[in-house]
């Protein structure tokens, strides 16, 4: 039998718990990085009926507004895209020794 030069080989896939833990670490890093532009809300008249967590997670709660939410989304996207484009892994993935590779070439 002849084999093709791009024959697929079975690779070890990372465990879901490791990928999830790496994602949590990356999310924590990004959340800490955006705190200067998106601070945690303090109790005030605009959040009197809601908890602080609910008002922080609600992008339509008025203050800080949709512009900051868009900026935070762009920063999160840029973080993940840049890390994967340069090294194939994020900081969280480095801690767990995970890396994104091509299924066809293995690179």
């Amino acid at each position: 039998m002849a084999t093709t030069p791009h024959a697929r080989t079975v690779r070890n896939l990372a465990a879901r718990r490791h990928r999830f833990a790496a994602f949590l670490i990356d999310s924590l890093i990004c959340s800490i990085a955006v705190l200067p532009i998106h601070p945690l809300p303090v109790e005030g008249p605009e959040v009197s009926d809601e908890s602080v967590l609910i008002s922080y997670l609600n992008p339509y709660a008025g203050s800080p507004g949709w512009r900051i939410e868009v900026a935070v989304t762009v920063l999160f996207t840029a973080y993940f895209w840049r890390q994967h484009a340069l090294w194939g892994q994020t900081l969280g993935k480095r801690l767990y020794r995970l890396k994104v590779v091509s299924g066809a070439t293995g690179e």
Side-chain angles (χ1 to χ4, degrees):
M1 283 205 226
T3 60
T4 61
H6 296 290
R8 291 188 109 179
T9 60
V10 177
R11 302 207 184 279
N12 292 336
L13 296 178
R16 287 184 184 160
R17 65 182 181 272
H18 294 156
R19 289 184 278 172
F20 182 70
F23 175 75
L24 287 179
I25 291 171
D26 290 328
S27 296
L28 180 66
I29 290 169
C30 288
S31 297
I32 290 171
V34 300
L35 273 178
I37 65 170
H38 192 276
L40 293 171
V42 293
E43 287 292 335
E46 67 272 354
V47 291
S48 61
D49 293 339
E50 298 177 341
S51 72
V52 174
L53 180 62
I54 297 293
S55 64
Y56 181 69
L57 295 177
N58 184 0
Y60 305 108
S63 175
W66 66 271
R67 290 175 188 89
I68 293 177
E69 295 298 328
V70 170
V72 168
T73 302
V74 168
L75 288 174
F76 270 64
T77 304
Y79 169 79
F80 282 97
W81 181 82
R82 181 85 172 158
Q83 296 281 320
H84 284 116
L86 291 177
W87 301 292
Q89 59 194 98
T90 59
L91 296 174
K93 287 180 182 175
R94 286 185 200 178
L95 289 174
Y96 282 93
R97 294 185 176 108
L98 303 175
K99 192 169 188 174
V100 177
V101 296
S102 169
T105 63
E107 293 181 5

